[in-house]
Amino acid sequence: MSDTRQASTEPEAQLWEQLDGHTAGMLGVSGSGQHMQPMVHMAAPDEKALYFFTSKSSDLVKTLKPGAIAHYTYVAKDHDYHACMKGNLTISNDPAKTDEYWSPIVGAWFEGGKTDPDLALLRLDLEDAAIWASTDSSLKFGWEMAKANLASDTQPDVGVSNHIWFRKRPT
């Protein structure tokens, strides 16, 4: 269940908790003409970054140019939390990060292991994120729908949205 109070008061902490609990989302490079694709992320909250293993021959890597901006979307398993994150996407050449995030699951995709010539580790340095947290209480949901249908000037209150800035907010 997503905590709507935390989404209002501690949205960044909640985002990292959500990302730590489930690791699948959709990643795409803005303006590339390519569709977003499913990816598994590794969260690095202290760095305000996400990491992804992929193939150097993937469309995602082929579209990367200096200054590439990417979006990563995440939906919680219970569909009560959604996030869209944006930032600069680059290829990381940090072998320590490869070691840190390597797993037998990743290894199954790369025959040559950590030294596979087709292995790429991507780093998404987050600039900002938009989040939406909603209640999973059917009682609250039903009450809000009934209230909104009875009063024409009322919309249902079933969740919270918030914006998180990880870097300096543009003026």
Side-chain angles (χ1 to χ4, degrees), residues 6-135:
Q6 187 182 22
S8 292
T9 60
E10 298 177 272
E12 184 176 343
Q14 184 182 45
L15 174 65
W16 292 116
E17 288 169 16
Q18 288 284 329
L19 292 172
D20 191 43
H22 304 281
T23 58
M26 299 289 286
L27 179 65
V29 177
S30 300
S32 70
Q34 300 291 324
H35 288 286
M36 296 181 84
Q37 51 190 276
M39 297 293 286
V40 172
H41 66 263
M42 283 72 64
D46 293 344
E47 300 172 52
K48 312 283 190 222
L50 299 173
Y51 287 89
F52 309 87
F53 285 107
T54 192
S55 167
K56 287 180 182 174
S57 59
S58 70
D59 289 340
L60 195 57
V61 171
K62 289 177 185 177
T63 62
L64 281 183
K65 294 178 175 54
I69 299 298
H71 283 88
Y72 185 62
T73 59
Y74 166 83
V75 179
K77 181 176 99 177
D78 294 331
H79 301 278
D80 61 350
Y81 188 88
H82 299 74
C84 180
M85 294 149 273
K86 179 178 70 176
N88 186 257
L89 185 66
T90 57
I91 295 176
S92 171
N93 294 315
D94 186 348
K97 287 295 176 188
T98 298
D99 287 343
E100 180 180 350
Y101 295 123
W102 190 261
S103 72
I105 294 170
V106 175
W109 293 97
F110 297 97
E111 190 176 300
K114 296 177 194 176
T115 60
D116 191 304
D118 197 37
L119 176 68
L121 179 63
L122 301 179
R123 177 185 168 123
L124 179 61
D125 288 300
L126 297 177
E127 292 175 12
D128 70 310
I131 64 161
W132 296 265
S134 59
T135 182

Side-chain angles (χ1 to χ4, degrees), residues 1 135-142:
M1 175 174 80
T135 182
D136 72 346
S137 166
S138 55
L139 183 62
K140 178 173 173 58
F141 184 83

